[in-house]
Amino acid sequence: GISIALLKSLGYRVTASTRRKEGLEEYLKDLGADEVIGGLEAPKGPLGKQLWCGAIDAVGGDTLAAILTQTKYRCAVASTGVAGGGDLPTSVYPFILRGIRLLGVDSTLPWNCEGYEKDEASWNRYRDERLVLWDRLAASLPKEKLHKIVEATIKLQDVNSDVADRVIKGQVRGRYVIQI
C-alpha cells in the first residue's frame, strides 16, 4: 500500500497485483493504483513478456520470480519482503539476457553486524542516509493515504496469535501499528 501511494504521488502510473483482487481492488485504487490485476504467474519458459519498467515486491517467492521474468530490458525490481516465501524459483536469464537488477531493501541499521564496518563514523553514515530517506518519504507520501494503510493500532501486549492468524490468512488489508 505504501508503495502504491508513494509512487502515485511521485507521478508514476501504478499497477497493483493481488491474489485478492475482488476484495481489494477498490482499496488499492483509492491508494492510487491506476489498474489492479490478479496475482502474477511465472511464464512457461525462462523469460516472459516484458511488462514492467520497474517493480516493488513485498511478497517474494513465486511472485518475485514472475516479476523478474516480466521486467523490461535494463530495468530494476526492489524486493522488500517475504510474505510469499524466501525461495526464489527463477533462473539467471532475466539478469544476463535483459540486464535487470534485483535490489534488496533492508530494514536494519548494520551496527555490529558481520560484514559491516564497526566504527562509529560508518554507523553515523548509515543513519544519516536513512534520515534523508525518511525525510523524503515524509515529504512525498500523502498523509491521508498513510491513514488508509493502517488497519489498526494495537498495544504491544495485545499482539497475540489471533492477530498473527489474521495476517497469515490474508484477512488484513493494511498494516498494524504496534504501540509501545
Side-chain angles (χ1 to χ4, degrees), residues 128-141:
D128 292 346
E129 289 171 359
R130 297 225 176 230
L131 291 174
V132 168
L133 294 173
W134 280 109
D135 286 345
R136 184 168 182 196
L137 182 63
S140 301
L141 183 62

Side-chain angles (χ1 to χ4, degrees), residues 84-168:
D87 291 339
L88 186 56
T90 191
S91 70
V92 299
Y93 291 114
F95 304 102
I96 63 174
L97 296 178
R98 291 192 181 149
I100 69 163
R101 293 171 299 284
L102 175 59
L103 311 168
V105 178
D106 71 57
S107 59
T108 62
L109 281 175
W111 181 253
N112 276 340
C113 295
E114 187 175 330
Y116 289 94
E117 299 101 2
K118 297 185 189 298
D119 61 285
E120 189 173 343
S122 295
W123 186 86
N124 286 333
R125 188 175 64 249
Y126 293 130
R127 186 201 62 216
D128 292 346
E129 289 171 359
R130 297 225 176 230
L131 291 174
V132 168
L133 294 173
W134 280 109
D135 286 345
R136 184 168 182 196
L137 182 63
S140 301
L141 183 62
K143 307 304 179 269
E144 70 276 4
K145 302 295 184 185
L146 185 59
H147 292 292
K148 292 177 182 188
I149 294 166
V150 175
E151 173 84 6
T153 300
I154 57 176
K155 294 180 179 174
L156 182 58
Q157 61 265 26
D158 294 335
V159 176
N160 55 36
S161 60
D162 292 337
V163 172
D165 285 343
R166 287 194 67 223
V167 172
I168 290 168

Side-chain angles (χ1 to χ4, degrees), residues 42-92:
K44 302 285 186 239
L47 293 172
K49 182 178 179 183
Q50 296 182 61
L51 300 173
W52 318 116
C53 59
I56 299 173
D57 172 64
V59 178
D62 292 336
T63 299
L64 178 55
I67 292 168
L68 293 171
T69 65
Q70 298 169 3
T71 298
K72 293 181 179 183
Y73 180 73
R74 299 201 61 180
C75 291
V77 176
S79 175
T80 66
V82 291
D87 291 339
L88 186 56
T90 191
S91 70
V92 299

